[in-house]
Amino acid sequence: MAEKSLQILSFTGTVFADISDLLQEFSFINPSFLPKFDILPNVLDLLCQKYIPVLLDLLSIVYMLSLGSAMFSVAWSQRKYNVLSYGAVGNGIVDDTMAFMKAWNDTCKDSRRPVMVVPMGKTFLVYPVTLFGPCNSSNLIVMILGTIIAPDHPNVWNGRFHGTWLAFRYVNDLTVSGNGVGVLDGRGHRWWEISCRYNKSKDCNILSPTIISFEMCKNVNLRRISTVRSGGGHIAVFGCENVRFSILNLQSPGKSPNTDGIHISHSNFVHIHKSVIGSGDDCISMLDRSYNVNITNINCGPGHGISIGSLGSDGTKVDVQNITIRNVNFYKTTNGARIKTWQEGRGRVRNVEFSNINLTDVKNPIIIDQHYGEPKNAPPKKTKNGVHITEVRYSGFVGTSMTDVAINFNCSENVPCTDISLENIRLAKSGKSRKKVSASCNNAHGFAKGVVVPASCLVY
């Protein structure tokens, strides 16, 4: 009988030693696939004793049917919408925007587990476009396996909002994946040429397009994708909740103006990890109403560091809380851990952690600048305002500073910084110079513990 059971079930690719192994294997089967029987225990015993071969035959058939049903269910529930099927050419010359919009519309309407596919081996020219939700699926995927390029001239944005290239708005439960090969190319060199940073004419440009933006979205996952040559920022998050970015490679030249890596505002629960960012501005910046942001395992450089701010321009009231930044390598950046506010700003920055930070040739390894935007040595503005910066912890900093002042806390005269802590800080001057670095404090209160080099200037 055992031999018969092994022979019967061998066609499934699984060998069972006895009936207990078989029943354990069948425990995964969804009860909805099985017929419903009302059998008394003694009848079941009789069947097992006299008709086990028949029972095994039946179970093996049910096993195969359940596998087939599961496979059919997966295939049925995950429908793919390839942009090529909607008329995209993918030669980098023909405008493929309409094909992308049509593919997105069908993807968004599908209530199952739809996948919009941008296939490998093609280059798609896409003009500025916003992909709108809400969508019908609770598990929507955009798979970018090829390269998407932006128009290479700013004139294309005439009559359009200059701040975005590709945007998702009101889309929930969204995953955008490059699977390690997808590329978004902003082709931003002409935007850099007309930027007001380098072009001082009256027609210079202030706002340039971000490569990909998420606006008023929930449950967003962006992973394993590269963005290059952004005209403005690489990624923007506004009004979103529960956002996760991982394994990203964001690259623009160090002299490209205003090309922030990731720009966050009015968003809650944002996680960024295992990414490499090089830009002409902040690698990551957090603006007003950024809450519960967790940043880990980042390589930053070139760029302006990781910044909270700038905040409080024109006297606005701001609120930023619960920011954690850990395990970051800064390489030849203008700043490391930075908080920047305008003198006339109001509100607070609270509960911030910078820990396990490695710095190589960084100009301002640790800096709080509450006089942002003011000329050097300018007298304080006549204002009673100030953003209250409190509960900020710096620990585990190791590396080199390009400037003599490695720790610079330049806090508000009206609302001093409070509860600032330094722990296990070891900073030295870059190069072969034996000159020691120093710390500078204005209106900064807190404490230090462990080894802190340079010596703390915080007032307890």
Side-chain angles (χ1 to χ4, degrees):
M1 190 177 298
E3 291 179 0
K4 182 174 179 61
S5 69
L6 292 175
Q7 291 173 357
I8 290 171
L9 296 172
S10 62
F11 75 93
T12 70
T14 306
V15 177
F16 301 102
D18 54 39
I19 188 68
S20 63
D21 288 341
L22 173 66
L23 294 176
Q24 185 175 3
E25 176 70 13
F26 281 99
S27 65
F28 83 95
I29 297 176
N30 188 324
S32 64
F33 293 137
L34 298 175
K36 291 181 168 53
F37 297 107
D38 293 319
I39 303 176
L40 295 174
N42 59 341
V43 177
L44 182 60
D45 289 342
L46 181 62
L47 286 173
C48 288
Q49 291 173 14
K50 291 190 175 183
Y51 300 104
I52 283 181
V54 178
L55 178 63
L56 290 173
D57 280 334
L58 174 63
L59 287 174
S60 63
I61 292 170
V62 172
Y63 179 77
M64 292 302 295
L65 289 174
S66 66
L67 287 179
S69 177
M71 292 173 64
F72 174 78
S73 176
V74 170
W76 177 82
S77 64
Q78 190 179 62
R79 180 170 293 179
K80 295 182 179 180
Y81 298 91
N82 192 315
V83 295
L84 294 178
S85 301
Y86 293 84
V89 177
N91 63 1
I93 300 172
V94 175
D95 178 7
D96 290 322
T97 310
M98 190 57 66
F100 272 65
M101 293 180 67
K102 290 178 179 178
W104 169 257
N105 288 337
D106 283 353
T107 304
C108 189
K109 292 175 184 176
D110 195 328
S111 61
R112 290 161 291 185
R113 192 170 178 259
V115 182
M116 177 176 168
V117 179
V118 180
M120 189 182 297
K122 298 281 187 178
T123 298
F124 300 90
L125 172 62
V126 176
Y127 279 50
V129 62
T130 298
L131 303 178
F132 285 92
C135 297
N136 292 329
S137 174
S138 60
N139 192 351
L140 191 152
I141 300 171
V142 176
M143 189 68 70
I144 300 173
L145 305 177
T147 297
I148 304 176
I149 62 174
D152 67 351
H153 202 289
N155 287 345
V156 171
W157 274 260
N158 287 345
R160 295 182 170 105
F161 176 57
H162 282 198
T164 59
W165 170 34
L166 307 174
F168 293 91
R169 187 176 298 169
Y170 304 119
V171 181
N172 299 336
D173 307 306
L174 170 68
T175 295
V176 179
S177 176
N179 205 32
V181 295
V183 177
L184 304 177
D185 185 350
R187 298 207 289 178
H189 57 283
R190 292 191 177 178
W191 288 101
W192 309 335
E193 292 171 359
I194 63 173
S195 167
C196 292
R197 181 183 293 182
Y198 300 129
N199 185 337
K200 301 302 181 182
S201 71
K202 64 178 182 179
D203 296 325
C204 69
N205 185 67
I206 298 175
L207 184 63
S208 301
T210 296
I211 286 181
I212 184 167
S213 302
F214 300 93
E215 304 165 4
M216 284 74 76
C217 299
K218 292 183 179 179
N219 306 325
V220 173
N221 193 334
L222 176 68
R223 65 191 183 203
R224 303 188 68 197
I225 200 164
S226 297
T227 64
V228 297
R229 300 191 298 173
S230 57
H234 286 259
I235 300 170
V237 181
F238 178 84
C240 294
E241 184 174 351
N242 193 23
V243 175
R244 182 173 294 273
F245 295 156
S246 61
I247 317 178
L248 305 179
N249 186 12
L250 317 179
Q251 297 297 323
S252 287
K255 292 186 178 181
S256 57
N258 303 315
T259 53
D260 291 72
I262 301 174
H263 201 63
I264 305 164
S265 69
H266 293 78
S267 295
N268 194 9
F269 295 108
V270 179
H271 302 266
I272 305 167
H273 66 106
K274 293 183 180 177
S275 296
V276 178
I277 304 173
S279 73
D281 211 306
D282 295 320
C283 290
I284 301 172
S285 59
M286 289 150 279
L287 299 186
D288 189 21
R289 268 62 183 180
S290 293
Y291 301 120
N292 301 301
V293 179
N294 192 300
I295 299 167
T296 59
N297 299 302
I298 303 295
N299 287 338
C300 171
H304 295 181
I306 293 180
S307 297
I308 296 173
S310 64
L311 299 169
S313 62
D314 299 320
T316 54
K317 186 176 181 179
V318 300
D319 191 26
V320 174
Q321 296 189 60
N322 306 329
I323 310 298
T324 302
I325 298 150
R326 293 176 180 161
N327 304 326
V328 177
N329 295 317
F330 293 104
Y331 182 75
K332 293 188 175 182
T333 53
T334 55
N335 305 285
R338 176 165 67 158
I339 301 174
K340 50 182 177 175
T341 74
W342 295 76
Q343 286 190 61
E344 63 270 27
R346 299 173 296 131
R348 64 180 176 178
V349 173
R350 188 187 73 84
N351 192 23
V352 177
E353 175 189 331
F354 294 95
S355 63
N356 299 331
I357 307 295
N358 187 277
L359 308 109
T360 303
D361 298 340
V362 174
K363 289 183 179 178
N364 301 294
I366 297 174
I367 181 169
I368 294 177
D369 180 7
Q370 293 207 260
H371 299 79
Y372 183 74
E374 296 298 316
K376 288 185 178 179
N377 302 317
K381 286 185 176 180
K382 293 182 179 180
T383 177
K384 295 181 180 180
N385 294 341
V387 176
H388 185 203
I389 297 174
T390 186
E391 300 175 43
V392 182
R393 301 173 297 280
Y394 303 89
S395 66
F397 277 62
V398 178
T400 55
S401 172
M402 292 289 290
T403 57
D404 294 339
V405 180
I407 300 175
N408 187 358
F409 295 136
N410 190 12
C411 297
S412 167
E413 292 81 4
N414 301 315
V415 186
C417 300
T418 59
D419 200 12
I420 309 298
S421 68
L422 296 168
E423 181 177 3
N424 297 330
I425 310 293
R426 295 176 175 84
L427 300 175
K429 190 70 184 294
S430 295
K432 297 180 180 179
S433 172
R434 294 185 178 181
K435 187 175 181 180
K436 293 182 178 180
V437 293
S438 63
S440 173
C441 292
N442 291 310
N443 310 300
H445 299 265
F447 63 93
K449 69 182 205 177
V451 176
V452 175
V453 179
S456 170
C457 56
L458 291 167
V459 178
Y460 184 72

